[in-house]
Amino acid sequence: MVNSVTKTVSFRLTTNEVAAVKQRCGELSIGDYARRLVLETKAASDADIRRSMGKALLAIHLMLSADSTETSKQKALDTIELAMLELTAGSGGKQSR
């Protein structure tokens, strides 16, 4: 027998966040959009991708820092390279445009 008990959850969004989400939702309510997004997302694989993308963004930020030295620039390049390798491995070698 399927458990049909439901529970209401809430989360806080700023006015700008509500506008951005509504723009993506289209006809769906924010709640329906969030539920579909969560239920249709493969959390484990996406977490790896988000973590690798975060590393790449941090490395780019370090490179663009005004006080960066050659050592920090090399460290940033190494971090970007590692992040890109992780993304490639996480995508199963698929390339996208």
Side-chain angles (χ1 to χ4, degrees), residues 26-81:
E27 299 285 321
L28 294 174
S29 71
I30 292 176
D32 286 339
Y33 177 77
R35 183 174 62 244
R36 286 184 181 187
L37 188 64
V38 169
L39 293 175
E40 293 174 6
T41 299
K42 298 174 189 165
S45 63
D46 289 344
D48 292 342
I49 291 170
R50 286 191 302 269
R51 191 168 29 258
S52 296
M53 290 174 69
K55 287 179 184 178
L57 290 172
L58 177 60
I60 291 168
H61 174 73
L62 291 172
M63 281 187 78
L64 297 176
S65 172
D67 62 343
S68 61
T69 63
E70 286 304 312
T71 302
S72 65
K73 287 180 182 179
Q74 186 58 51
K75 183 178 178 184
L77 286 172
D78 293 344
T79 304
I80 291 173
E81 182 180 13

